[in-house]
Amino acid sequence: MGKSSKDKRDAYYRLAKEQGWRARSAFKLLQLDEEFDLFANVTRVVDLCAAPGSWSQVLSRVLIKGEKFGRTAWQDKEARFRQQMLGILPQDEQKTEADKTIDEQQEERKPREDVKIVSIDLQPISPLAGITTLRADITHPATVPLLLSALDPDFDPKMAGTQASHPVDLVLSDGAPDVTGLHDLDIYVQSQLLFAALNLALCVLKPGGKFVAKIFRGKNVDVLYAQLKIFFEKVIVAKPRSSRASSVEAFIVCINFQPPDGFRASLEEPLGVGGRLDEMLKEREAQKTDTEMQGAAAISEQGVVEMEVYDDVPEDKERNTRWIAPFIACGDLSAFDSDASYQLPEDHVSLDPVQPPIAPPYKRAIEMRAALSGSQR
Ligand code: SAM
């Protein structure tokens, strides 16, 4: 397959090269931010599973350089309406881009002071202005102190677990394992990576902080949503326009981190499927009132339906609480369709990728194949 056929098949791949993004994923984060104002009031950010670095590029350009990638006034109004429906934005917060004065808009575009961004991946990330990059495994306990020291060189590891070790406003994770094509296996491995990201986020997030992570929507994903609701006031599933509709990929957007009383996060004793997290979920269920336990649909004040579904099991058996999170498609829905092929203009020139991988896992295989074909000549 030639470069230009991929340009034709994937408009966001082409657009990413034209706009200087290292990967098409940049558009997913931009579209999530458009919908949820992720970067509002944020100065400490951790980007997990960040290579080759397009999400970090977005962070660098928006937070450090103060660039604004905007939606139109109309899209802004629509997004605010949805945010009010979901209770993310107060009902009386009516101001839209169109209502703001030029001065107010300029003010928002200023680079923020004292921004710290740390990006982590198993793969090396080529340098980015203002961003600290770490080559580390997000599932390893040693990564948390490493990350906290990168955010603050004076951080004392003895302070781990105290309030001082929770300085982060936003944790992002676009983590994905190498996809095998075996649907259930891919979903399982992805969920393990998601739990690793969540555990790390619980160790470093400030109360009120936000967590955004990639998920693959599988059979039991609503159990995961119920688990996330233990820690965050709002949990929403979002599908950006630039994420292919044909893929199971989506993003959970968790807003307002509120750890339960007495909860202490630790990567030494991580939460995962089963064990401590299941216990916490049962405790939360036990604290609910009878009315809440009627199940069915809980309609929030703003009229948005959040559903709790109970599996139909005999009285003497435990019921499995699942919680159906609100789902939002985001990004300009009249923009490119990521599943469509587009006719390219005749004079179209296909560009090279902005940042080819520095040390991809397949590099050694290519070298061995080249050596082999050389020796056979
Ligand atoms: N957000 C990135 C961007 O915009 O350029 C793309 C991320 S890519 C889809 C997924 C990344 O997850 C890969 O670079 C992979 O190395 C990383 N990853 C997978 N498992 C990891 C782990 N245990 N620790 C750190 N990174 C991991």
Side-chain angles (χ1 to χ4, degrees), residues 22-23 25-26 47-56 120-123 136-139 174-177 193 214:
R22 292 180 179 184
S25 331
D47 183 11
L48 301 175
C49 302
S54 76
W55 280 26
S56 300
I120 302 179
D121 202 285
L122 288 173
Q123 305 295 330
D137 182 349
I138 65 160
T139 65
D174 190 24
L193 208 51
K214 171 150 61 202

Side-chain angles (χ1 to χ4, degrees), residues 94-366:
Q94 293 295 350
K95 214 169 207 185
T96 70
E97 276 299 295
D99 302 325
K100 286 179 190 157
T101 64
I102 300 287
D103 281 351
E104 278 174 324
Q105 291 184 27
Q106 292 298 349
E107 182 65 25
E108 284 171 16
R109 267 167 238 197
K110 275 191 192 147
R112 290 181 211 177
E113 279 164 26
D114 189 30
V115 170
K116 288 265 169 67
I117 301 165
V118 177
S119 302
I120 302 179
D121 202 285
L122 288 173
Q123 305 295 330
I125 305 169
S126 130
L128 275 168
I131 295 199
T132 306
T133 56
L134 298 176
R135 192 170 180 182
D137 182 349
I138 65 160
T139 65
H140 199 284
T143 303
V144 171
L146 203 64
L147 156 66
L148 291 168
S149 310
L151 282 169
D152 174 7
D154 297 328
F155 175 73
D156 176 357
K158 284 195 219 101
M159 300 300 279
T162 66
Q163 203 158 0
S165 69
H166 288 264
V168 178
D169 302 298
L170 172 65
V171 174
L172 302 172
S173 173
D174 190 24
D178 289 337
V179 174
T180 64
L182 299 169
H183 192 66
D184 287 347
L185 179 64
D186 289 338
I187 287 181
Y188 173 76
V189 179
Q190 167 66 23
S191 71
Q192 294 306 302
L193 208 51
L194 171 70
F195 273 110
L198 173 65
N199 278 299
L200 194 145
L202 297 177
C203 289
V204 300
L205 267 183
K206 251 185 205 165
K210 303 170 209 169
F211 173 58
V212 177
K214 171 150 61 202
I215 54 165
F216 285 175
R217 283 169 302 153
K219 253 190 298 197
N220 290 323
V221 75
D222 32 8
V223 176
L224 167 74
Y225 302 150
Q227 291 167 332
L228 290 166
K229 279 285 278 183
I230 298 175
F231 302 100
F232 295 91
E233 187 201 348
K234 301 266 170 223
V235 176
I236 297 148
V237 185
K239 179 86 175 169
R241 176 73 161 162
S242 49
S243 169
R244 291 186 190 93
S246 53
S247 109
V248 286
E249 172 189 90
F251 294 86
I252 37 153
V253 178
C254 305
I255 293 170
N256 196 7
F257 176 50
Q258 297 291 346
D261 286 346
F263 173 76
R264 195 169 183 278
S266 144
L267 275 202
E268 307 282 351
E269 201 199 334
L271 302 177
V273 177
R276 201 169 147 208
L277 197 48
D278 279 357
E279 289 307 315
M280 292 177 74
L281 196 54
K282 277 188 208 138
E283 250 170 58
R284 186 169 176 268
E285 286 308 300
Q287 285 162 4
K288 282 191 173 164
T289 61
D290 283 351
T291 327
E292 282 177 296
M293 289 302 278
Q294 314 252 301
I299 301 179
S300 71
E301 270 169 46
Q302 293 84 9
V304 176
V305 178
E306 297 176 353
M307 266 192 149
E308 296 209 343
V309 181
Y310 299 110
D311 292 343
D312 193 13
V313 286
E315 288 255 309
D316 55 336
K317 295 255 167 61
E318 259 174 31
R319 27 183 202 186
N320 190 10
T321 302
R322 294 178 286 136
W323 180 78
I324 310 218
F327 181 92
I328 283 192
C330 58
D332 177 1
L333 299 186
S334 61
F336 286 112
D337 176 348
S338 46
D339 285 289
S341 288
Y342 289 88
Q343 185 64 46
L344 296 172
E346 290 207 341
D347 57 354
H348 171 75
V349 180
S350 185
L351 302 170
D352 285 329
V354 173
Q355 175 63 59
I358 308 175
Y362 50 82
K363 190 173 168 207
R364 174 109 185 91
I366 294 175

